[in-house]
Amino acid sequence: MTSNSFGTYFRITTWGESHGPAIGVVIDGCPAGIPIDEANIQQALSKRAPGRNNHTSPRKESDQMQILSGVFEGKSTGAPISIMIPNKDASSSHYEPIKHLIRPGHANYTYLKKYGCFDYRGGGRASARETACRVAAAAIAEELLKAEGITSSAFLYRITGCNKKPFDLHTPHLWKTISGSPVFCPDSKTEENIIAAITKAKKTGDSLGGIVVFQATGLPVGLGDPVYHKLEAKLAQAMLSIPASKGFSIGDGFDAADMKGSEHNDALSENPDNPFLSNHAGGTLGGISSGQMLWGRVAFKPTSSIKQSQQTITTDGQSAEFKLPEGSRHDPCVAIRAVPVVKAMLSLTLADLVLANRLSTISKP
Amino acid sequence: MTSNSFGTYFRITTWGESHGPAIGVVIDGCPAGIPIDEANIQQALSKRAPGRNNHTSPRKESDQMQILSGVFEGKSTGAPISIMIPNKDASSSHYEPIKHLIRPGHANYTYLKKYGCFDYRGGGRASARETACRVAAAAIAEELLKAEGITSSAFLYRITGCNKKPFDLHTPHLWKTISGSPVFCPDSKTEENIIAAITKAKKTGDSLGGIVVFQATGLPVGLGDPVYHKLEAKLAQAMLSIPASKGFSIGDGFDAADMKGSEHNDALSENPDNPFLSNHAGGTLGGISSGQMLWGRVAFKPTSSIKQSQQTITTDGQSAEFKLPEGSRHDPCVAIRAVPVVKAMLSLTLADLVLANRLSTISKP
Amino acid sequence: MTSNSFGTYFRITTWGESHGPAIGVVIDGCPAGIPIDEANIQQALSKRAPGRNNHTSPRKESDQMQILSGVFEGKSTGAPISIMIPNKDASSSHYEPIKHLIRPGHANYTYLKKYGCFDYRGGGRASARETACRVAAAAIAEELLKAEGITSSAFLYRITGCNKKPFDLHTPHLWKTISGSPVFCPDSKTEENIIAAITKAKKTGDSLGGIVVFQATGLPVGLGDPVYHKLEAKLAQAMLSIPASKGFSIGDGFDAADMKGSEHNDALSENPDNPFLSNHAGGTLGGISSGQMLWGRVAFKPTSSIKQSQQTITTDGQSAEFKLPEGSRHDPCVAIRAVPVVKAMLSLTLADLVLANRLSTISKP
Amino acid sequence: MTSNSFGTYFRITTWGESHGPAIGVVIDGCPAGIPIDEANIQQALSKRAPGRNNHTSPRKESDQMQILSGVFEGKSTGAPISIMIPNKDASSSHYEPIKHLIRPGHANYTYLKKYGCFDYRGGGRASARETACRVAAAAIAEELLKAEGITSSAFLYRITGCNKKPFDLHTPHLWKTISGSPVFCPDSKTEENIIAAITKAKKTGDSLGGIVVFQATGLPVGLGDPVYHKLEAKLAQAMLSIPASKGFSIGDGFDAADMKGSEHNDALSENPDNPFLSNHAGGTLGGISSGQMLWGRVAFKPTSSIKQSQQTITTDGQSAEFKLPEGSRHDPCVAIRAVPVVKAMLSLTLADLVLANRLSTISKP
């Protein structure tokens, strides 16, 4: 089915369940000669790891990864790169009391019906734990992007009930700064509001949604291939593959659906570096990068696991009450930990299209 | 590159430019034994065709298609189905005066830089004309879906400045009704407002954006494959591959990013037909169809071609004014003609996932 | 299923049946800027066309192709190239008397059982007519190869009962010379024997098998990707996809299975142009081109259609006699017309791997 | 590049070098519900493992595999199955004296030129060690095949200088019997000759080639898809991807190239179980399984590593002598250990096509 693979040229295949011995990723298609720094990958993983601070899930995972192949003397060899991350803190005993219940908002209903089996211990492949593999692979993709002068970033833009006064999306926000924020938000006032809202949600046992913005700079003109591998089409698939994501937009996105052509069209002037006078399009025209900053939004629903009582059914179809057991972990807003994952999917998509672009014309290489 | 193909199992490959002799599509992977009715395909094409009424582009294309292979005695044979649609009304002389100008909001800037060549006669592969091929292929996909009891639909939900009082999205709207509306809108009050707004935009030479809603009913539990071929991920790619689309969402989508978990989670009760008590999720859980109605939104920007003067540059980078030549065709709101294309991409995605689902378990077949 | 596509990067999709209105091919992934000369393609087709001389099938097909997309001002644009070849001399009335019979050695038995339908008019997709599409696409692939300094060739090496004294396979034989021979054989003595054997087979209504040799020169070191896209693995798939092919070998091939390592290993010396002192390997080491001439063999069975009486069954499973109707066309040795097809599959495989090789290292482009 | 993946539906991706910490395979596309018995996989691996007896390489690898994902309570879950095999006996110090030499008949010349880096410690991805991953994955594929009634087998047919009196290939030889032979040969006289020849080759420090035959029984009519995914085309790719393989044939193969149509065509009679009166075709017609036994041959060159002195060059292009260091391992005939690998590739190909066949017709569910 290949449904566990992403990318056509820079291709990752992830494997593993949240409660098995390990998770991992195989990268096939990484060119030879790319510097691979294990510390970099480990640092990227630490940004996504649960238990990073008290605004996210308290599950403790060191996410200590091992590279098992494809690297020799600090560089990629062209062979597949296999990375494994053992699961350490996978306590499945918590799930015992709720093993016969359909969890509202979760995938266990659909997995049970589709596959006829039911790994009650945790989310299995639907668990956000799988995204650690994306982050590890993206750290390598980013080395490829760096060689092309491309940087990728993402940040938390708003969450449920916050951000009355939205901040500027047209200015690039550097990952270096963002990753210093406990909630990955570059705007200090918004950050403060977000932390207050999360603190409150934790008290009521409820959860919040949020919007993550992605940005990439340094793109050449030419990434993306008409017509089904358009830059925004591949990005949209990438982002909607992230657990809990519910929407994607590029540039002005849904706002553009309420604008006029005379407002939305980006005019051009004599400037060889960047002829565009605005960037409503979000850095892409006809599915191909225009050389402007690439930017867009990803919407995340509120975390499905809440501590309030919910009406549900058993796996046999009988009415039941669903309530998270005492001591269960609870991540009040998945949008926060989604930020490094959005950045990872952005990097993986761009690395794939950078390679695709080598194939486009006769003059290359 | 395979970037002109969509679908893994029910796979289409489209070809052709708006100003060449013809456009076409090859469907590889259509199972044998599916009834193929040429009149059906032709009728589907007529819904998308330009010149259908005076709210869309006046280009006259009969879009008379021919099936060249893969059908014998009214049924698919399992061999690739090749469909060709000759171009009739491709007058490229209109483009002569603007052949050295970058068109704001268009792909000719990025195509020129990427491919080093420049087909000034029209949009080439970036032209919306390519979408006729999707509609033709989707008419066949819909025969496959019909055998599974699945129906797909789409309608115009709102356009720039209209739809102050949004209508209900949770009720299925049948294509039969929608396709009777000149602007593909099932709500008569909204339809009226939309027609008024378009009439006004035509007068001012400006253009409008819009939001198209898609809906599918009759889905089994089980369409979509974790983790990168999630139903919503494949749909997102499908929709963002449509010219002028700028955003995609599933279920409550971006609204979910401003909700609480206790509001958004769909509770379940004892009902074997459909245990869910609401459908905020949009018919998918963990990337797999839940058996509820599938629904979501696609945002379209205002048409890039407007009749007002715009600041631009020549292909040599010199400042210039861009103004559509007199007599040029002008489609004031691409979102209207996008409706059958959204429906087509929905059908193509579902047909692909229906086939994918045959592979999932040992018991099938 | 994508089973009608070949190639990962330079990807062709063929369509059409021998008795439908047309056959055709879509090439997706041809880089922009490649010179496309229609006369070249037409000339390549004429080499494969039936009725070329009286040693092959008398079906008369002008094989007049049309390019429908992807070319502008004599060069590829990067968009898919669609080529159509109308069927002219498709007389299906000959097949009427044998429409209920399983044809020994043919695919109609397996097609009927697999697809449940039966296009009795001819071979459908199993017809050798499909290979015209490969030849047309390969003519374009060869323009890409030419830019890299690569040439491809093929010739008839031997047929049933001939070639007691095999001629040299280590010397490159140019296509220019070969294509002048009525049976595509560069050795005049062998050519003579082949023509005599064919003349005799025609008289007895029987058919002959044969071996075609392929050769390519000018390859860089580096084509082919470990481990499943090895040069010889992709070539093997390519060659075994040709109708009537039954075997493939690279370099010494099956002879190597009867040699010692001390005989078979190609030693190396100080010669920067070509360090190898022999070429038992056939131009590949570890699945990657070594820079030597690439060479190997493809075995073809005798044509299944013979004019002698054969024991068979009806489509209902009843015993019957199979005898080709009077006036039926008869191609006594498919290996002859297979020669340009072997060359085409060689070119298509190499073009694909030339593009693949652009992805391998960080320094490219 | 995906060049480390095999299969479209039952898809494996292998990773790892012979001298890294581990090798492994990820299977994506295994249907849910297939029984997975670790002991079975381990037993299959033991057949391929080096050091099995003194006719093959003395490298000692227990090949103790671990399943890391995709299995729950003894059955596949539909999620990717990740298998890891740690490397134990990877002593790279032996390679120190020859680290600057091109090894005649090996891939290190082409890897160095292609990737610009050089893992002198062993064959890297070119090592036959990678094939352990194929065998492990095939053990799972065989569970899928078993549910369809399909069995696969392979045996050593002949080696250099042996087998004057070839034994019957039309009778199925069961793996159970074959795997009891130290050289995987079902014919006791041939086995004796083979062992004698190998003993002699070891003494002279030379190596031998060989031919492996594969057989599969219980196939339905219908496996294989026209035209590029023909059963024999996919098999040919599968077999030529095995290290040291140089040729592939199906049924009579190269012998068919010296036969007449009246000899080669398999006639049919009234027998609903198997209407064919002979099996020259090898169990396939038009690329689709005919329901007969599938059979063919794979040719292997003599092992490249020999203990005799050979003329070569250094990685800098200087003349040098190549001689395996004292104490180096030496496998006098790779064709022996290739037998379980041929069987594995057969099983993987068939499992892939069994899944593909679920997509072919409308009547399958």
Side-chain angles (χ1 to χ4, degrees):
Chain A
M1 287 182 286
T2 78
S3 60
N4 295 284
S5 295
F6 181 80
T8 306
Y9 309 99
F10 191 98
R11 186 173 182 87
I12 67 166
T13 302
T14 67
W15 56 267
E17 292 86 34
S18 55
H19 287 75
I23 58 173
V25 58
V26 179
I27 306 166
D28 194 7
C30 182
I34 291 187
I36 308 285
D37 181 343
E38 301 206 9
N40 263 0
I41 303 172
Q42 199 57 61
Q43 193 183 18
L45 281 170
S46 73
K47 296 296 177 191
R48 194 217 65 95
R52 181 170 160 261
N53 60 47
N54 55 12
H55 311 305
T56 60
S57 164
R59 174 166 169 169
K60 297 283 180 207
E61 282 288 358
S62 58
D63 280 354
Q64 194 68 39
M65 66 95 207
Q66 293 169 255
I67 298 180
L68 297 173
S69 69
V71 180
F72 187 59
E73 297 180 342
K75 287 191 176 170
S76 61
T77 63
I81 300 172
S82 174
I83 296 177
M84 184 172 70
I85 308 171
N87 288 327
K88 297 277 158 95
D89 185 22
S91 57
S92 55
S93 59
H94 283 123
Y95 296 94
E96 199 61 31
I98 53 172
K99 65 187 275 189
H100 295 305
L101 296 181
I102 300 301
R103 302 175 70 172
H106 278 80
N108 66 355
Y109 177 77
T110 49
Y111 273 58
L112 175 60
K113 295 274 183 176
K114 183 180 176 86
Y115 298 112
C117 68
F118 191 63
D119 183 349
Y120 55 83
R121 298 168 303 170
R125 288 296 286 164
S127 164
R129 183 142 185 73
E130 183 268 345
T131 61
C133 298
R134 310 182 187 208
V135 171
I140 291 174
E142 285 163 12
E143 293 289 344
L144 174 61
L145 296 178
K146 194 196 281 179
E148 309 275 332
I150 299 171
T151 64
S152 60
S153 185
F155 55 84
L156 187 59
Y157 177 55
R158 54 162 298 160
I159 68 169
T160 300
C162 287
N163 200 7
K164 294 297 178 288
K165 199 174 135 292
F167 57 96
D168 179 37
L169 295 180
H170 288 76
T171 312
H173 294 279
L174 295 180
W175 181 244
K176 206 174 166 178
T177 314
I178 296 161
S179 62
S181 160
V183 294
F184 298 113
C185 181
D187 181 78
S188 58
K189 183 63 193 162
T190 308
E191 178 188 276
E192 203 175 290
N193 292 339
I194 286 172
I195 291 175
I198 285 172
T199 307
K200 192 176 157 195
K202 285 173 77 170
K203 275 186 197 144
T204 58
D206 212 337
S207 64
L208 307 174
I211 292 176
V212 175
V213 169
F214 61 84
Q215 294 180 331
T217 60
L219 278 71
V221 184
L223 302 188
D225 288 294
V227 293
Y228 300 103
H229 288 198
K230 282 178 176 149
L231 174 48
E232 56 267 37
K234 297 303 283 180
L235 274 174
Q237 183 199 346
M239 298 308 173
L240 266 295
S241 76
I242 303 174
S245 68
K246 301 300 285 185
F248 165 87
S249 70
I250 185 85
D252 284 353
F254 278 85
D255 298 341
D258 204 19
M259 290 168 76
K260 293 181 179 175
S262 54
E263 295 171 280
H264 186 271
N265 279 355
D266 298 310
L268 297 93
S269 74
E270 281 185 31
N271 177 351
D273 290 339
N274 175 11
F276 297 97
L277 295 168
S278 57
N279 189 3
H280 296 292
T284 167
L285 282 170
I288 299 172
S289 64
S290 65
Q292 288 202 283
M293 182 177 80
L294 183 76
W295 71 277
R297 282 170 261 209
V298 187
F300 289 88
K301 68 175 183 179
T303 320
S304 301
S305 294
I306 57 175
K307 297 217 163 173
Q308 301 181 359
S309 168
Q310 295 174 88
Q311 185 180 351
T312 192
I313 52 174
T314 63
T315 54
D316 297 332
Q318 308 299 313
S319 277
E321 183 200 12
F322 187 85
K323 212 165 171 336
L324 273 187
E326 280 308 304
S328 294
R329 294 139 178 172
H330 176 229
D331 200 342
C333 178
V334 285
I336 300 173
R337 284 179 60 213
V339 171
V341 183
V342 166
K343 177 175 180 281
M345 294 312 295
L346 173 62
S347 299
L348 289 168
T349 304
L350 292 176
D352 195 40
L353 295 179
V354 160
L355 291 183
N357 202 32
R358 292 184 182 184
L359 304 173
S360 300
T361 62
I362 193 168
S363 53
K364 293 173 195 162
Chain B
M1 285 182 289
T2 76
S3 59
N4 294 286
S5 295
F6 181 80
T8 305
Y9 308 100
F10 191 96
R11 186 174 182 86
I12 67 165
T13 302
T14 67
W15 56 267
E17 291 86 35
S18 54
H19 287 74
I23 58 173
V25 58
V26 180
I27 306 167
D28 194 8
C30 182
I34 291 186
I36 308 284
D37 180 344
E38 301 206 10
N40 263 359
I41 304 173
Q42 200 57 60
Q43 192 183 18
L45 280 170
S46 72
K47 296 296 176 192
R48 194 218 64 95
R52 184 171 159 260
N53 59 47
N54 54 11
H55 312 306
T56 59
S57 165
R59 175 168 169 166
K60 296 280 179 209
E61 283 287 1
S62 59
D63 280 356
Q64 194 67 39
M65 67 95 206
Q66 295 168 254
I67 298 180
L68 298 173
S69 67
V71 179
F72 186 61
E73 298 179 342
K75 287 192 177 172
S76 61
T77 63
I81 300 171
S82 175
I83 296 176
M84 183 171 70
I85 308 170
N87 289 327
K88 297 276 159 97
D89 185 23
S91 58
S92 54
S93 59
H94 283 124
Y95 295 96
E96 197 64 28
I98 53 171
K99 65 188 273 190
H100 294 305
L101 295 180
I102 300 301
R103 303 175 71 170
H106 278 78
N108 66 355
Y109 177 78
T110 49
Y111 272 58
L112 176 59
K113 296 273 184 178
K114 183 179 176 87
Y115 298 111
C117 69
F118 191 62
D119 183 347
Y120 55 83
R121 300 168 301 171
R125 288 296 284 163
S127 164
R129 182 139 184 76
E130 183 268 344
T131 61
C133 298
R134 311 183 186 205
V135 171
I140 292 174
E142 285 164 13
E143 293 289 345
L144 175 61
L145 296 179
K146 194 197 281 180
E148 308 275 332
I150 299 172
T151 65
S152 60
S153 187
F155 55 83
L156 187 59
Y157 177 55
R158 54 162 299 158
I159 68 167
T160 301
C162 288
N163 199 8
K164 293 296 178 286
K165 198 173 138 290
F167 56 95
D168 180 36
L169 296 179
H170 289 76
T171 312
H173 295 277
L174 294 181
W175 180 242
K176 206 174 168 180
T177 315
I178 296 160
S179 62
S181 160
V183 295
F184 299 113
C185 181
D187 182 79
S188 58
K189 183 65 193 159
T190 308
E191 179 187 277
E192 201 176 294
N193 292 339
I194 285 173
I195 291 175
I198 284 172
T199 307
K200 192 175 156 197
K202 284 173 78 171
K203 277 184 196 147
T204 58
D206 212 339
S207 64
L208 307 174
I211 292 177
V212 175
V213 168
F214 61 85
Q215 294 180 329
T217 60
L219 279 70
V221 185
L223 302 189
D225 287 294
V227 293
Y228 299 104
H229 289 196
K230 281 177 175 151
L231 174 48
E232 57 267 39
K234 298 304 282 179
L235 275 175
Q237 183 198 345
M239 298 308 173
L240 266 296
S241 78
I242 303 173
S245 68
K246 301 300 286 184
F248 165 88
S249 70
I250 185 86
D252 284 353
F254 278 85
D255 298 341
D258 204 20
M259 290 168 76
K260 293 181 179 175
S262 54
E263 295 171 280
H264 186 272
N265 279 354
D266 297 310
L268 297 93
S269 75
E270 281 185 32
N271 177 351
D273 291 337
N274 175 11
F276 296 98
L277 296 169
S278 56
N279 190 3
H280 297 292
T284 165
L285 282 171
I288 299 170
S289 64
S290 65
Q292 287 202 283
M293 182 178 78
L294 184 76
W295 72 277
R297 281 170 260 208
V298 187
F300 288 89
K301 68 175 183 179
T303 320
S304 301
S305 293
I306 57 176
K307 296 216 164 175
Q308 301 182 0
S309 168
Q310 297 175 85
Q311 185 180 352
T312 193
I313 52 175
T314 64
T315 54
D316 297 331
Q318 308 298 313
S319 277
E321 184 201 10
F322 186 85
K323 211 165 171 343
L324 273 185
E326 280 307 304
S328 294
R329 294 142 179 171
H330 177 227
D331 201 342
C333 179
V334 285
I336 300 173
R337 285 180 57 214
V339 170
V341 183
V342 166
K343 176 174 180 282
M345 294 311 296
L346 173 62
S347 298
L348 289 168
T349 303
L350 291 176
D352 196 40
L353 296 179
V354 160
L355 291 183
N357 202 34
R358 293 185 181 182
L359 305 173
S360 300
T361 62
I362 194 168
S363 52
K364 293 172 200 165
Chain C
M1 285 180 290
T2 78
S3 61
N4 295 285
S5 295
F6 181 79
T8 306
Y9 308 100
F10 191 97
R11 186 172 183 88
I12 67 165
T13 302
T14 67
W15 55 267
E17 291 86 35
S18 55
H19 286 74
I23 58 172
V25 58
V26 181
I27 306 167
D28 195 8
C30 182
I34 292 186
I36 308 286
D37 181 345
E38 301 205 9
N40 263 0
I41 303 172
Q42 200 57 60
Q43 193 183 17
L45 281 170
S46 72
K47 296 297 177 190
R48 194 217 66 94
R52 185 171 157 259
N53 59 48
N54 54 12
H55 311 305
T56 60
S57 165
R59 174 167 170 167
K60 297 280 180 209
E61 282 289 359
S62 57
D63 280 356
Q64 194 67 39
M65 67 95 207
Q66 294 169 253
I67 298 180
L68 298 173
S69 68
V71 179
F72 186 59
E73 297 178 344
K75 287 191 175 172
S76 62
T77 63
I81 300 172
S82 174
I83 296 177
M84 184 171 70
I85 307 170
N87 289 327
K88 296 274 157 95
D89 186 22
S91 57
S92 54
S93 58
H94 283 125
Y95 296 95
E96 199 62 30
I98 53 172
K99 64 187 274 190
H100 294 306
L101 296 181
I102 300 300
R103 304 176 69 171
H106 278 78
N108 67 355
Y109 177 77
T110 49
Y111 272 58
L112 175 60
K113 296 272 184 179
K114 182 181 177 85
Y115 298 111
C117 69
F118 191 62
D119 184 348
Y120 55 82
R121 299 169 301 169
R125 288 298 285 165
S127 164
R129 181 138 185 76
E130 183 267 344
T131 62
C133 298
R134 310 182 188 207
V135 171
I140 292 175
E142 285 164 13
E143 293 290 345
L144 175 61
L145 296 178
K146 194 197 281 178
E148 309 274 332
I150 299 171
T151 65
S152 60
S153 187
F155 55 84
L156 187 60
Y157 177 55
R158 55 162 299 159
I159 68 167
T160 300
C162 287
N163 200 6
K164 293 298 179 285
K165 197 173 137 292
F167 56 96
D168 179 36
L169 295 179
H170 288 75
T171 313
H173 295 277
L174 294 181
W175 181 243
K176 208 174 166 177
T177 315
I178 297 159
S179 61
S181 160
V183 295
F184 299 114
C185 181
D187 182 79
S188 57
K189 182 66 193 156
T190 308
E191 179 187 274
E192 203 176 290
N193 293 338
I194 286 172
I195 291 175
I198 284 172
T199 307
K200 191 176 158 197
K202 284 173 77 171
K203 277 185 196 144
T204 59
D206 212 338
S207 63
L208 308 174
I211 293 177
V212 176
V213 169
F214 61 86
Q215 294 180 329
T217 59
L219 278 71
V221 184
L223 302 188
D225 287 294
V227 294
Y228 299 103
H229 289 197
K230 282 177 175 152
L231 174 48
E232 57 266 40
K234 298 304 283 180
L235 275 174
Q237 183 198 345
M239 298 309 174
L240 267 295
S241 77
I242 302 174
S245 69
K246 302 300 285 185
F248 165 88
S249 70
I250 184 86
D252 284 353
F254 277 85
D255 297 342
D258 204 20
M259 291 168 75
K260 293 182 179 173
S262 54
E263 294 171 279
H264 186 271
N265 279 353
D266 298 310
L268 297 94
S269 75
E270 281 184 33
N271 176 351
D273 290 340
N274 175 11
F276 295 98
L277 296 168
S278 57
N279 190 3
H280 296 291
T284 166
L285 283 170
I288 300 171
S289 64
S290 65
Q292 288 202 283
M293 183 178 78
L294 184 76
W295 72 278
R297 280 170 262 209
V298 187
F300 289 89
K301 67 175 184 180
T303 319
S304 302
S305 294
I306 57 176
K307 296 215 163 175
Q308 302 182 1
S309 168
Q310 297 175 87
Q311 184 179 353
T312 192
I313 52 175
T314 63
T315 54
D316 296 330
Q318 309 298 314
S319 277
E321 183 200 14
F322 186 85
K323 213 167 171 338
L324 272 186
E326 280 308 304
S328 293
R329 295 140 178 173
H330 177 228
D331 201 342
C333 179
V334 285
I336 300 173
R337 285 181 57 213
V339 171
V341 183
V342 167
K343 177 174 180 280
M345 294 312 293
L346 173 62
S347 298
L348 289 169
T349 304
L350 292 176
D352 196 40
L353 295 178
V354 160
L355 290 183
N357 203 32
R358 293 186 181 182
L359 305 174
S360 300
T361 63
I362 194 168
S363 54
K364 291 174 199 161
Chain D
M1 286 182 289
T2 77
S3 61
N4 294 285
S5 295
F6 181 80
T8 306
Y9 308 100
F10 191 97
R11 186 173 182 86
I12 68 166
T13 302
T14 67
W15 56 266
E17 290 87 35
S18 54
H19 286 74
I23 59 173
V25 59
V26 180
I27 305 166
D28 195 8
C30 182
I34 292 186
I36 308 285
D37 180 345
E38 300 206 9
N40 264 0
I41 304 173
Q42 199 58 60
Q43 193 183 18
L45 280 170
S46 73
K47 297 295 177 192
R48 194 217 65 94
R52 183 169 159 261
N53 59 47
N54 54 11
H55 311 305
T56 60
S57 164
R59 174 168 170 167
K60 297 282 182 209
E61 284 288 359
S62 58
D63 279 355
Q64 194 68 39
M65 67 93 207
Q66 294 168 254
I67 297 180
L68 297 174
S69 68
V71 179
F72 186 61
E73 297 179 343
K75 287 193 176 170
S76 62
T77 63
I81 300 172
S82 175
I83 297 177
M84 184 172 69
I85 308 170
N87 289 327
K88 297 276 158 92
D89 186 22
S91 57
S92 55
S93 59
H94 284 123
Y95 296 94
E96 199 62 29
I98 53 170
K99 65 187 272 190
H100 294 304
L101 295 180
I102 300 301
R103 303 176 70 170
H106 278 79
N108 66 355
Y109 176 77
T110 49
Y111 272 59
L112 175 59
K113 296 273 183 179
K114 183 180 177 86
Y115 297 112
C117 69
F118 191 63
D119 183 348
Y120 55 83
R121 297 170 302 171
R125 288 297 284 165
S127 164
R129 182 141 184 74
E130 183 268 343
T131 61
C133 298
R134 310 182 188 207
V135 171
I140 291 174
E142 285 163 13
E143 293 290 344
L144 175 61
L145 296 178
K146 194 196 282 178
E148 309 275 332
I150 299 171
T151 65
S152 59
S153 186
F155 55 83
L156 188 59
Y157 177 56
R158 53 163 299 160
I159 68 169
T160 300
C162 287
N163 199 7
K164 294 296 178 286
K165 196 171 139 294
F167 56 95
D168 178 37
L169 295 179
H170 289 75
T171 313
H173 294 278
L174 293 181
W175 180 242
K176 206 174 168 178
T177 315
I178 296 160
S179 62
S181 160
V183 295
F184 299 114
C185 182
D187 182 77
S188 58
K189 183 65 192 159
T190 308
E191 178 187 276
E192 204 175 289
N193 293 339
I194 285 173
I195 290 175
I198 284 172
T199 306
K200 191 176 158 197
K202 283 174 79 171
K203 275 185 196 145
T204 59
D206 213 338
S207 63
L208 307 174
I211 292 177
V212 176
V213 169
F214 61 85
Q215 293 179 331
T217 60
L219 277 71
V221 183
L223 302 189
D225 288 293
V227 293
Y228 300 103
H229 288 198
K230 281 178 175 149
L231 174 48
E232 55 268 39
K234 297 303 284 181
L235 275 174
Q237 183 199 345
M239 298 308 173
L240 267 294
S241 76
I242 302 174
S245 68
K246 302 300 286 184
F248 165 89
S249 70
I250 184 86
D252 283 354
F254 278 85
D255 298 342
D258 204 19
M259 291 168 75
K260 292 183 180 173
S262 54
E263 296 171 280
H264 186 270
N265 278 354
D266 298 312
L268 296 93
S269 75
E270 281 186 33
N271 177 350
D273 290 338
N274 176 13
F276 296 98
L277 296 168
S278 56
N279 190 3
H280 296 291
T284 165
L285 282 171
I288 299 172
S289 63
S290 65
Q292 287 202 284
M293 183 178 77
L294 183 77
W295 71 278
R297 281 170 262 210
V298 187
F300 289 89
K301 68 175 184 179
T303 320
S304 302
S305 292
I306 57 175
K307 296 215 164 174
Q308 301 182 359
S309 168
Q310 294 175 87
Q311 185 180 351
T312 193
I313 53 174
T314 63
T315 55
D316 297 330
Q318 308 298 313
S319 278
E321 183 200 12
F322 186 85
K323 212 168 172 332
L324 272 187
E326 281 306 305
S328 292
R329 294 141 178 171
H330 177 228
D331 201 342
C333 179
V334 285
I336 300 173
R337 284 180 57 214
V339 171
V341 183
V342 167
K343 176 174 181 283
M345 294 312 295
L346 172 63
S347 299
L348 290 168
T349 303
L350 292 177
D352 196 39
L353 295 179
V354 160
L355 291 183
N357 203 32
R358 293 186 182 183
L359 305 173
S360 299
T361 63
I362 194 169
S363 54
K364 287 177 196 158

